[in-house]
């Protein structure tokens, strides 16, 4: 059945719903109902104006925010519990009910759309209950239980409809009638979470009915009429802390019951003044504050519930302000008993997206709680949190708002200090200061206290760079230490002015730069200061002026650069560029026939297996001679990675000293014409003596001169330098001069180059008449005798010795390698720079009465040199070549020419890329 016509919504007053048709009758029977009964009193505290529309249903969330459905305005207004406005949710036709769940979703019942729409606090629609529009006759009120179920009184349908938290319909209960569990025009509804019960206002029957969460009827209280415990036209209802608050619109009062239905007290009275009610429609509590929608007075009335077990929290909201990356000053909350003198235990919980620090989480009244928000990591903006105090089942929310502001502009200048080290008369240095700021650009100015400093600009804008440079005035300063200050000022900024200390050290000094081609290169520098360094590029500044010597350390597999001297001048940079030359691995052999009268000057290039690669004549037609073979050495004179062949005539009567240079394919590159007055060919050696990338050739020759009846043989060494493949004489010196007497014909000295003392400069090793001599060269290729010795090896007197040189033991120093015969076999012996024996001699050939011809180079690629030995110049010796290691192991044996070639073989090791 439908309600009687006199109660239909179309007959209600301008509020649009819930109002009895006889407003005049209501006015005539108005009475004062503010008297307290039992242990309950409520006193007026304040009012919240709702000028934006008549307040109908109200609800509060757990943060203390009050939601007010203003039906005429088509909005739901939000207020903080202190009455300040918190915004509106728009977009409704005629909102008549409202509720908020624990997730702060807002449920709004719309009378026109006949729906309950669910929105977030900003008003964005999430979903609707049931089918949405048309789901209800009229959604009179909404309650949300702790289990998430949503209960809606459908006033026109006389039922309560129940929905899940996702909006899906579950079931209904009630129905039209006056029997227990039935209802006529149900209006208000609330959830008693403590007892898991639902309270429904049965408007027309003038009572409150209590149901289980499943809709099972339990009890009812109140009866139709006026006065204590009587309900004339009840509308809203709320349960809190064991009390039931019912808004009776006809009596213009709030009737208070306990949960068993026993009447406790009235709150409010009819009227328009403060604390007076005129058609109250709904009621709710926040802590011990009672909120009543005072519909016809267009405001929400706030009463203070005086509860002996309640708390008074002051203030109810905290507002903090802080700059970004800094915490605000602490504030306090007073926690007092509602009734003076009581000691009430309390606890707190904190809910916040940022860190709210409180100094105590529980206590007993009276208490003072200190609150300190931590804003670390928060950007500029407004942040809200919640501190909830609880006592005796009642919650008292305290809102915490923190406004984080961008900090004041701050000036940063880095680095905070500058140090210059200035070499007197040298170039002036400079450096840069970074001038930056926070929170926008800053205008800045800069000044200096020193005349020896220049600033790139007197002012600028952040972010920017300020260049600070020494000027020429620094060169007029005496040696010593000086200080100055650069000041950067940005008015109004934190950190301004910024003073940058400048320290200047004036030195009488220079700079050394050493560049090498090896990361593991190392060296020592001696002079006024002792220094050491390593690597590809090394710099040492502020070095005392004077003369220095740099000596490089040995790196296995490389030739050590030459020791050199240099000057360091004040204010100047001395650069030393050096190259470690690779000790390359031999992969070719050049061979020439020994000095037999019938041996021609054929030169043959062999690979490591002994296979011929090419052959050619060392002195092609017109020939100097076709006799006595030739001597050969190999050297990379053009630095292309491939060794060239340097040949001289063999030791034979009538052979004049001469030089021809070839590529390995026989292509001629350079030549030195035969030198008149010479005989018996020449000795030959090649190497980069000074380590400057230019190769030199040392040639020994014998010049015969006659005076009266005496013939004098002069043994001379001439140093030639290659430049564009041209041979230019650079130096010469005589190594012997003696009358020719009966005996062996005078022969040119045997020669070899080697870095015997590790200074990077090659020494010349000379073998003549059984004596070994070592010569050193200066920068002009002038020669100085370092040492000489005879009798170094056993063997027949006046036996000719052969020489070579190489680092056979991997110590970074070349050894003097001496070839000799003991009259039975031929050997190679090894000596240091002082011609002291090293290790044991190695036998080269058996039954050989002449010294072997020697060459030395890395054959195996292990970074040490092996020895190539060719049979010596004796009739019956063929052209056999052997490669030995230092232990005397034969690594390779090759016959350079066919068996018809006798009198030994001259050979040298080289590289073919």
């Amino acid at each position: 059945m439908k309600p009687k016509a006199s109660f239909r919504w179309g007959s209600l007053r301008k509020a649009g719903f819930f109002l009895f048709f006889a407003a005049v009758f209501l006015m005539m029977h108005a009475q004062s109902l503010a008297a307290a009964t039992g242990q309950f009193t409520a006193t007026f505290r304040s009012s919240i104006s709702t000028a934006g529309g008549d307040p109908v249903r109200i609800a509060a969330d757990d943060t203390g925010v009050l939601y007010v459905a203003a039906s005429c305005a088509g909005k739901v207004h939000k207020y903080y519990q202190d009455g300040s406005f918190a915004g509106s949710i728009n977009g409704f036709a005629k909102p008549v009910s409202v509720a908020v769940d624990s997730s702060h979703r807002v449920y709004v019942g719309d009378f026109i759309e006949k729906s309950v729409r669910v929105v977030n606090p900003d008003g964005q629609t999430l979903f609707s209950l049931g089918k949405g529009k048309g789901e209800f006759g009229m959604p009179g009120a909404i309650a949300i239980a702790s289990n998430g179920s949503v209960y809606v009184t459908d006033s026109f349908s006389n039922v309560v409809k129940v929905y899940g938290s996702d909006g899906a319909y579950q079931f209904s209960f009630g129905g039209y009638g006056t029997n227990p569990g039935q209802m006529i025009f149900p209006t208000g509804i609330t959830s008693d979470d403590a007892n898991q019960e639902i309270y429904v206002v049965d408007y027309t029957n003038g009572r409150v009915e209590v149901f289980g969460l499943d809709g099972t009827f339990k009890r009812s209280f109140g009866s139709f009429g006026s006065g204590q415990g009587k309900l004339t036209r009840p509308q809203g209802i709320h349960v809190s802390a064991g009390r039931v608050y019912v808004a009776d619109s006809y009596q213009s009062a709030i009737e208070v019951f306990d949960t068993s239905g026993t009447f406790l007290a009235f709150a409010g009275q009819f009227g328009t003044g403060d604390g007076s009610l005129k058609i109250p429609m709904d009621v709710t509590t926040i802590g011990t504050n009672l909120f009543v929608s005072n519909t016809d007075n267009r405001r929400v009335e706030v009463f203070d519930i005086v509860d002996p077990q309640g708390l008074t929290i002051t203030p109810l909201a905290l507002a903090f302000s802080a700059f970004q990356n800094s915490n605000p000053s602490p504030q306090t909350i007073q926690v007092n008993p509602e009734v003076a003198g009581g000691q009430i235990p309390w606890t707190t919980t904190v809910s916040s997206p940022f860190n709210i620090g409180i100094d105590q989480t529980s206590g007993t009244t009276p208490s003072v709680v200190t609150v300190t928000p931590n804003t670390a990591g928060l950007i500029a903006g407004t942040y809200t949190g919640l501190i909830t105090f609880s006592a005796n089942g009642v919650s008292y929310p305290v809102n915490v708002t923190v406004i984080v502001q961008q900090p004041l502009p701050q000036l940063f200048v880095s680095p905070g200090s500058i140090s210059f080290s200035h070499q007197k008369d040298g170039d002036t240095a400079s450096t840069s200061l970074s001038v930056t700021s926070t929170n926008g650009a800053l205008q800045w100015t800069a000044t200096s206290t020193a005349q020896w400093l220049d600033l790139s600009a007197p002012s600028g804008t952040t972010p920017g760079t300020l260049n600070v440079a020494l000027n020429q005035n620094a060169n007029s300063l005496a040696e010593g230490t000086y200080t100055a200050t650069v000041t950067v000022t940005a008015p109004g900024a934190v950190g301004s002015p910024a003073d940058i200390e400048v320290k200047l050290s004036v030195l009488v000094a220079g700079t050394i730069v050493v560049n090498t081609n090896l990361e593991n290169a190392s060296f020592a520098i001696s002079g006024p200061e002792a220094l050491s360094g390593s690597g590809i590029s090394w710099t040492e500044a502020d070095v005392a002026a004077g003369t220095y010597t740099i000596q490089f350390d040995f790196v296995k597999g490389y030739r050590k650069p030459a020791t050199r001297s240099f000057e360091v001048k004040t204010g100047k940079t001395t650069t030393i560029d050096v190259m470690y030359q690779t000790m390359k691995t031999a992969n070719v052999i050049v061979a020439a026939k020994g000095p037999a009268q019938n041996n021609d000057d054929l030169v043959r290039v062999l690979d490591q297996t002994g296979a011929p690669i090419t052959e050619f004549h060392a002195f092609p037609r017109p020939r100097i001679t076709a006799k006595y073979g030739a001597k050969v050495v190999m050297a990379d004179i053009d630095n292309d990675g491939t060794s060239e062949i340097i040949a001289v005539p063999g030791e034979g009567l009538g052979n004049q000293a001469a030089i021809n240079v070839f590529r390995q394919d026989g292509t001629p590159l350079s030549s030195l014409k035969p030198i008149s007055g010479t005989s018996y060919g020449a000795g030959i050696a090649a190497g980069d003596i000074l380590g400057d990338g230019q190769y030199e050739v040392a040639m020994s020759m014998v010049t015969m001169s006659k005076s009266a009846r005496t013939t004098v043989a002069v043994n001379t060494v001439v140093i030639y330098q290659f430049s564009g493949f041209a041979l230019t004489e650079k130096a010469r010196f005589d190594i012997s001069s003696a009358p020719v007497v009966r005996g062996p014909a005078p022969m040119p000295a045997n020669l070899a180059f080697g870095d015997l003392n590790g200074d990077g400069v090659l020494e010349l090793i000379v073998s003549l008449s059984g004596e070994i001599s070592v010569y050193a060269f200066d920068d002009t290729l002038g020669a100085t005798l370092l040492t000489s010795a005879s009798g170094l090896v056993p063997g027949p007197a006046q036996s000719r010795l052969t020489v070579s040189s190489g680092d056979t033991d991997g110590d970074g120093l070349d050894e003097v390698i001496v070839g000799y015969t003991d009259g039975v076999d031929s050997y190679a012996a090894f000596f240091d720079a002082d011609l002291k024996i090293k290790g044991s001699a190695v036998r080269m050939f058996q039954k050989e009465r002449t010294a072997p011809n020697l060459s030395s180079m890395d054959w195996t690629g292990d970074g040490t040199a092996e020895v190539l030995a060719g049979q010596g110049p004796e009739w019956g010796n063929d052209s056999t070549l052997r490669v030995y290691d230092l232990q005397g192991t034969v690594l390779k044996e090759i016959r350079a020419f066919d068996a018809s070639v006798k009198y030994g073989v001259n050979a040298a090791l080289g590289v073919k890329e």
Side-chain angles (χ1 to χ4, degrees):
M1 295 179 60
K2 294 183 180 180
K4 295 180 180 180
S6 59
F7 299 109
R8 291 192 179 185
W9 286 95
S11 65
L12 299 182
R13 297 196 55 202
K14 63 180 180 179
F17 51 85
F18 302 143
L19 305 183
F20 192 69
F21 71 96
V24 176
F25 176 81
L26 185 153
M27 298 286 287
M28 291 174 60
H29 290 81
Q31 54 185 306
S32 175
L33 299 172
T37 303
Q39 295 183 347
F40 177 86
T41 58
T43 58
F44 171 74
R45 186 167 67 84
S46 63
S47 296
I48 301 174
S49 174
T50 58
D54 298 339
V56 187
R57 297 284 182 228
I58 58 177
D61 66 13
D62 58 6
T63 70
V65 174
L66 186 71
Y67 292 77
V68 180
S71 63
C72 294
K75 301 178 180 181
V76 173
H77 297 309
K78 296 186 291 184
Y79 300 90
Y80 296 115
Q81 57 182 313
D82 63 357
S84 58
F85 183 66
S88 297
I89 303 175
N90 304 321
F92 304 102
K94 198 176 189 66
V96 294
S97 54
V98 64
V100 187
D101 66 13
S102 60
S103 299
H104 296 171
R105 297 184 298 186
V106 184
Y107 296 70
V108 181
D110 195 304
F111 178 65
I112 299 298
E113 294 183 353
K114 302 184 183 304
S115 68
V116 173
R117 198 189 323 165
V118 184
V119 300
N120 64 17
D122 295 327
Q124 180 182 3
T125 298
L126 302 176
F127 57 90
S128 295
L129 300 186
K131 65 182 179 181
K133 293 181 179 181
E135 175 73 8
F136 303 95
M138 191 197 77
I142 306 167
I144 302 171
S146 59
N147 65 0
S149 295
V150 183
Y151 296 79
V152 183
T153 56
D154 191 339
S155 301
F156 283 177
S157 300
N158 302 301
V159 295
V160 175
K161 294 182 177 179
V162 185
Y163 299 83
S165 59
D166 58 355
Y169 174 79
Q170 292 182 342
F171 62 93
S172 298
F173 60 89
Y176 182 84
T178 60
N179 294 327
Q182 294 180 325
M183 54 196 72
I184 301 175
F185 206 82
T187 51
I189 191 169
T190 190
S191 172
D192 180 2
D193 293 332
N195 296 306
Q196 298 289 287
E197 294 178 332
I198 299 296
Y199 287 69
V200 179
V201 174
D202 189 357
Y203 174 83
T204 303
N205 291 324
R207 65 187 179 188
V208 173
E209 293 189 296
V210 184
F211 298 85
L213 296 182
D214 60 356
T216 302
F217 175 79
K218 289 189 172 183
R219 64 187 180 278
S220 65
F221 58 86
S223 59
F224 184 81
S226 298
Q228 295 182 357
K230 302 289 186 178
L231 297 174
T232 308
R233 290 293 179 258
Q235 284 284 354
I237 189 169
H238 178 72
V239 177
S240 175
R243 298 190 183 96
V244 183
Y245 302 89
V246 181
D248 193 319
S249 58
Y250 177 79
Q251 300 189 78
S252 291
I254 304 300
E255 291 198 53
V256 185
F257 302 83
D258 64 18
T259 54
S260 65
T262 302
F263 175 79
L264 299 179
F266 282 111
Q269 62 183 10
F270 176 78
T272 59
D274 290 341
S276 297
L277 305 177
K278 191 175 181 182
I279 310 182
M281 297 294 292
D282 207 359
V283 61
T284 192
T285 60
I286 301 175
T288 55
N289 293 321
L290 181 68
F291 295 83
V292 181
S293 58
N294 198 352
T295 305
D296 253 19
N297 286 330
R298 306 189 73 181
R299 63 180 185 249
V300 174
E301 223 68 47
V302 185
F303 295 89
D304 184 15
I305 302 170
V306 180
D307 186 347
Q309 299 300 311
L311 302 179
T312 297
I313 306 296
T314 308
L316 293 174
L318 297 177
F320 295 87
S321 180
F323 290 111
Q324 201 169 349
N325 298 320
S326 64
N327 289 329
S329 299
Q331 295 186 37
T332 59
I333 299 174
Q334 303 288 331
V335 185
N336 292 311
E338 182 74 18
V339 177
Q343 291 186 335
I344 301 172
W346 55 266
T347 60
T348 63
T349 57
V350 176
S351 175
S352 174
F354 60 96
N355 184 9
I356 299 178
I358 56 176
D359 66 344
Q360 50 185 317
T361 58
S362 62
T364 302
T365 59
S367 301
V368 177
V369 177
T370 301
V371 180
T372 308
N374 185 342
T375 62
L378 300 182
I379 63 173
T382 300
Y383 299 84
T384 58
L386 181 69
I387 301 174
T388 302
F389 290 82
S390 298
N392 298 313
V394 179
S395 297
Y396 304 83
V398 176
N399 293 101
V400 179
T401 302
V402 177
I403 299 175
V404 179
Q405 306 177 53
Q406 289 188 346
L408 291 174
Q410 189 164 3
L411 176 68
F412 297 97
V413 182
S414 62
S417 62
I418 299 171
S419 293
F420 288 108
S421 181
H422 176 64
Q423 298 170 1
K424 194 172 176 66
D425 299 328
D427 295 334
T428 54
S430 66
T431 191
S432 294
L433 293 174
S434 173
V435 186
T436 59
S437 62
T438 59
N439 297 338
L442 287 177
Q443 298 293 323
W444 53 265
T445 59
T447 58
S448 166
T449 62
Q451 292 184 347
W452 39 266
L453 279 180
D454 285 339
L455 303 181
S456 59
S459 61
T461 303
T462 60
T465 300
L466 176 64
N467 194 56
V468 181
L470 298 178
N471 57 37
Q472 289 302 317
N473 291 330
N475 285 322
S476 65
L477 300 175
E479 186 175 11
T481 301
Y482 302 84
T483 58
T485 302
V486 172
T487 300
V488 180
T489 303
V494 176
S496 174
D499 291 330
I500 310 302
E501 182 184 40
V502 182
K503 182 178 180 181
L504 169 63
S505 296
V506 178
L507 306 171
V508 179
T511 299
I512 302 174
V513 176
V514 180
N515 298 317
T516 76
N517 62 325
L518 293 181
E519 188 65 48
N520 56 345
S522 58
F523 47 85
I525 299 174
S526 58
E529 295 185 44
L531 305 169
S532 62
S534 62
I536 291 176
S537 183
W538 174 89
T539 300
E540 184 73 15
D542 304 334
V543 179
T547 301
Y548 289 82
T549 299
I550 183 169
Q551 185 171 7
F552 294 89
D553 298 325
F554 166 68
V555 177
K556 188 173 182 179
Y558 293 87
R559 286 286 180 190
K560 186 163 61 172
T563 299
R564 65 184 71 182
S565 297
F566 59 92
E567 290 289 325
V568 173
K569 298 181 179 180
T570 183
K572 306 300 179 184
T573 297
T574 301
T575 301
I576 301 168
D577 295 315
V578 297
M579 292 286 291
Y580 277 79
Q581 296 181 350
T582 305
M583 184 183 291
K584 294 187 177 180
T585 302
N587 55 14
V588 294
I589 300 173
V590 61
K593 299 173 184 179
Q597 184 175 6
N598 295 324
N599 281 349
D600 62 13
D601 57 353
L602 184 67
V603 173
R604 182 169 286 173
V605 181
L606 311 170
D607 65 18
Q608 282 187 301
T609 69
I613 298 174
T614 187
E615 60 181 36
F616 54 89
H617 286 280
F619 298 96
R621 294 181 184 278
R623 296 182 184 179
I624 300 170
T625 178
K627 300 178 180 181
Y628 303 111
K631 286 187 176 181
V632 288
V633 294
M634 300 189 80
D636 184 10
I637 61 175
D638 59 357
N639 291 308
D640 66 349
T642 297
S643 302
E644 282 70 48
I645 300 169
I646 306 169
V648 296
E651 298 170 345
L653 182 64
N655 273 2
Q656 293 179 312
I659 299 175
N660 275 353
V661 183
F662 302 89
R663 295 196 187 281
Q664 291 183 24
D665 63 0
T667 302
L669 293 178
S670 182
S671 65
L672 181 72
K673 293 180 178 181
I675 299 173
S676 61
T678 60
S679 185
Y680 292 101
I684 190 73
D688 181 5
I689 296 177
L690 301 179
D692 59 1
Q694 284 194 312
Y695 273 76
E696 285 76 35
V697 172
M699 183 176 71
S700 63
M701 57 188 178
V702 176
T703 303
M704 309 294 288
S705 64
K706 293 183 178 182
S707 174
R709 290 178 294 178
T710 303
T711 301
V712 178
V714 179
N715 223 311
T716 303
V717 174
V718 184
I719 306 296
Y720 298 93
Q721 192 171 72
F722 278 104
S723 181
F725 294 109
L727 288 165
T728 304
E729 182 178 328
K730 290 295 183 181
R732 69 168 56 211
F733 57 96
D734 294 338
I735 55 176
S736 71
S737 178
V740 177
V741 295
R742 293 181 180 179
M747 297 293 178
N750 284 320
L751 306 177
F753 279 124
D755 183 6
L756 305 181
N757 56 14
D759 63 356
V761 177
L762 298 180
E763 285 76 46
L764 178 65
I765 306 162
V766 178
S767 170
L768 182 64
S769 301
E771 183 177 65
I772 304 295
S773 300
V774 179
Y775 292 85
F777 296 92
D778 59 21
D779 291 343
T780 64
L781 296 177
T784 301
L785 178 64
L786 294 180
T787 187
S788 65
S790 58
L792 293 175
V793 294
Q798 303 300 316
S799 174
R800 292 201 71 196
L801 306 179
T802 56
V803 289
S804 184
S805 183
D807 182 8
T808 58
D809 58 4
D811 65 352
L813 303 175
D814 289 340
E815 284 74 51
V816 177
I817 308 173
V818 178
Y820 69 95
T821 179
D822 63 359
V824 179
D825 300 321
S826 65
Y827 294 86
F830 305 88
F831 299 86
D832 64 15
D834 297 322
L835 299 181
K836 304 297 182 182
I837 190 74
K838 296 181 69 174
S840 301
V842 176
R843 184 168 60 185
M844 302 285 106
F845 297 98
Q846 293 178 305
K847 298 180 181 181
E848 185 167 309
R849 293 175 295 174
T850 57
N853 295 308
L854 302 176
S855 177
S856 182
M857 194 173 177
D858 185 3
W859 174 269
T860 61
D862 64 352
T864 61
E866 283 72 41
V867 178
L868 173 69
Q871 289 194 302
E874 181 183 13
W875 188 256
N877 286 354
D878 60 18
S879 59
T880 299
L881 297 170
R882 288 177 181 172
V883 179
Y884 287 89
D885 63 16
L886 189 61
Q887 289 73 40
T889 302
V890 177
L891 304 178
K892 187 68 181 178
E893 182 172 291
I894 296 169
R895 178 173 289 180
F897 300 98
D898 60 37
S900 65
V901 175
K902 301 296 183 181
Y903 226 69
V905 60
N906 295 308
L909 295 169
V911 176
K912 179 180 179 65
E913 289 291 341

